[in-house]
Amino acid sequence: MQQWVAEVAYDSSSGPKKVVESYYMPSSEDVRAAISKKGGFVLTIRPHERSPLERMLARSTWWQVQLLRGIQFRSTSTSPGVALWRIIQAENNPMRQNILAPAREALARGLGVIDALKALRAFDHGTIAILAASERANKLQEGIPHAIHAISQKRKNTRQIAGTMSWLGFDVVSIVQSLFWGKGMVLKWFQDNAPKDAAEHEHFVRVVGNLSLTWDILIGTAFGSGAFMVWCIISFFLNKGKTDWPTARVVRKIPLVGGYLRDLGFADSMAAAARMLRGLVPIDEALRQSSEATTVPDVADYWKAAAKELENGVNLGAAMDREPLTRSERLELASLSDLAQVATVLESIAEMRAAAAKTKHSLIVWIAFALTGVYLALAFGSAIFALTVMNMSMDSMMGGMMNGGTE
């Protein structure tokens, strides 16, 4: 499903009339067919694209929270779908109208409120999972505060990481800038004032060569790491809402980061499954919805495999007793004898995974501090080493001047 913008011509009593309309449909051919049924003539059809400013606003946590709160307040006297429709109709800001256009088209076609929120491509899979689970249990109004809490917690974690990385980045950039701009000047001075003695000159050339190589490695490492981080940030921002893409696969291969994302995926999907089961959603539907609650392939494959085993007649505990759950988690699931216990066990696993993700988050921050410290130590150490080389050159120069003066 995608939003399309079409220029359409209609016959009127005053002659042809051109209008611009938006449609939320699978393909451009479906749009063309819908326009033909209305008696219009298609001029152009193009995919709807948001401006960079609109994408930033749509993906800001502030706007997401405001939208969810609006749905929550209005759904006390009406259905969530009608509440969202009224919010869209009451919006006067052109930019926000453009952002909400996919949801308006989805609701106009008879889709539900969750499909409309998905069409916005603003919320992450964890938030959508909480909302979808609550909606399936007919308790969307009660699930919205949990979704808002999840958004706020992720925003807090993001700010902590961004603050830490910004401070470390400032230190590294300061050192790299000094190395980058001062390298040529320092090495040129060394070369112009090399020792005259053959033995000392050979040692001097070797030392200066090692110093130049060290600075090249430090500068190259800094620029490479910076480019990789910028690439990841831009890619994650542009692909927010997608299930998988190349940058995400690269990031998941980083050992600690991959484990952190897997823990977050299990925490979100387990909590969503527990909420659906408490709302008496059929177990097969709960497992299917849980597989869509995360962008981590390992976690999604876990839920799909469990659903398939359940369809084959395997009991629920055995179906869910599989990798990549930990041994303790698998023992809890394997010992299930009553379906009433499933939601409680899933909530317990979700809490443990959330705690594990928090621990890994702190560990990632401290490792970043440690690696930055090592880099700064190498940078300062090489600078101190440069001073010893400079002293070697100065001693040689002073020795030459003294010998010349004696003669």
Side-chain angles (χ1 to χ4, degrees):
M1 301 293 287
Q2 185 177 355
Q3 187 185 6
W4 304 86
V5 178
E7 290 186 357
V8 186
Y10 292 99
D11 286 330
S12 65
S13 57
S14 59
K17 181 180 180 182
K18 186 175 74 172
V19 297
V20 178
E21 299 176 343
S22 60
Y23 295 85
Y24 188 68
M25 292 185 171
S27 66
S28 60
E29 295 302 322
D30 296 317
V31 177
R32 194 178 299 275
I35 294 173
S36 298
K37 287 181 181 179
K38 295 167 59 177
F41 301 92
V42 177
L43 300 179
T44 61
I45 299 177
R46 61 177 176 83
H48 169 77
E49 294 184 359
R50 293 173 179 164
S51 67
L53 187 59
E54 289 173 353
R55 286 198 294 268
M56 290 180 62
L57 178 60
R59 293 168 183 174
S60 68
T61 55
W62 175 84
W63 185 83
Q64 294 173 13
V65 169
Q66 295 303 313
L67 180 61
L68 292 179
R69 284 176 177 167
I71 296 174
Q72 181 186 11
F73 294 152
R74 287 172 172 79
S75 60
T76 55
S77 58
T78 186
S79 68
V82 174
L84 178 57
W85 179 263
R86 289 179 178 175
I87 291 174
I88 296 171
Q89 292 298 102
E91 184 58 64
N92 296 321
N93 186 290
M95 181 181 296
R96 292 177 184 171
Q97 286 178 344
N98 201 29
I99 293 172
L100 292 169
R104 183 185 64 244
E105 295 300 322
L107 293 174
R109 295 186 65 248
L111 300 178
V113 63
I114 300 301
D115 291 318
L117 292 176
K118 287 181 179 178
L120 293 175
R121 293 183 291 119
F123 299 94
D124 60 33
H125 279 71
T127 304
I128 290 292
I130 295 173
L131 296 172
S134 303
E135 195 266 344
R136 288 288 300 170
N138 294 320
K139 297 179 179 179
L140 180 59
Q141 188 179 6
E142 299 178 11
I144 288 178
H146 295 280
I148 292 175
H149 174 74
I151 292 173
S152 302
Q153 188 63 38
K154 290 176 182 177
R155 176 174 58 189
K156 181 180 178 181
N157 293 339
T158 302
R159 285 179 176 176
Q160 289 178 348
I161 294 178
T164 301
M165 294 305 173
S166 298
W167 179 257
L168 297 177
F170 175 77
D171 289 341
V172 174
V173 167
S174 300
I175 299 300
V176 171
Q177 187 178 18
S178 301
L179 291 176
F180 184 79
W181 294 110
K183 173 190 170 186
M185 181 180 63
V186 173
L187 293 180
K188 184 177 183 304
W189 192 91
F190 287 161
Q191 293 170 358
D192 293 341
N193 298 278
K196 304 301 182 182
D197 183 79
E200 291 184 0
H201 185 272
E202 181 180 356
H203 176 62
F204 178 85
V205 170
R206 184 170 63 253
V207 170
V208 172
N210 292 335
L211 178 61
S212 177
L213 178 62
T214 301
W215 283 355
D216 287 338
I217 293 174
L218 290 175
I219 294 172
T221 301
F223 277 104
S225 301
F228 177 74
M229 291 179 64
V230 171
W231 172 54
C232 289
I233 292 171
I234 294 176
S235 180
F236 271 84
F237 180 79
L238 294 178
N239 294 283
K240 188 175 182 180
K242 294 184 179 179
T243 55
D244 197 18
W245 66 96
T247 308
R249 290 193 288 270
V250 171
V251 172
R252 283 196 299 268
K253 290 181 180 180
I254 303 175
L256 192 59
V257 176
Y260 170 71
L261 295 175
R262 190 181 304 112
D263 287 340
L264 286 181
F266 270 118
D268 290 338
S269 58
M270 288 283 183
R275 179 171 293 277
M276 283 186 282
L277 293 178
R278 290 198 182 280
L280 303 180
V281 175
I283 185 64
D284 57 339
E285 179 66 16
L287 294 179
R288 187 186 67 81
Q289 289 279 354
S290 299
S291 68
E292 299 176 359
T294 176
T295 58
V296 182
D298 292 348
V299 180
D301 291 343
Y302 165 82
W303 291 105
K304 292 176 182 177
K308 186 175 181 180
E309 289 291 311
L310 195 66
E311 291 176 357
N312 293 335
V314 179
N315 67 69
L316 181 60
M320 299 183 70
D321 176 17
R322 61 181 59 253
E323 297 286 349
L325 293 182
T326 63
R327 180 176 177 80
S328 61
E329 293 168 346
R330 296 178 65 178
L331 288 175
E332 283 192 68
L333 291 170
S335 62
L336 286 175
S337 58
D338 185 1
L339 279 177
Q341 301 174 350
V342 178
T344 302
V345 172
L346 293 182
E347 287 175 344
S348 174
I349 294 176
E351 291 177 1
M352 289 189 294
R353 286 286 181 164
K358 187 176 181 180
T359 300
K360 287 185 174 67
H361 170 268
S362 300
L363 189 57
I364 290 172
V365 171
W366 283 110
I367 289 177
F369 267 115
L371 292 177
T372 307
V374 171
Y375 182 89
L376 295 177
L378 291 174
F380 281 119
S382 61
I384 295 173
F385 185 70
L387 293 177
T388 63
V389 177
M390 187 179 295
N391 289 336
M392 182 190 305
S393 180
M394 290 291 292
D395 291 341
S396 175
M397 183 188 302
M398 294 300 295
M401 292 177 62
M402 293 293 292
N403 292 334
T406 304
E407 293 175 358

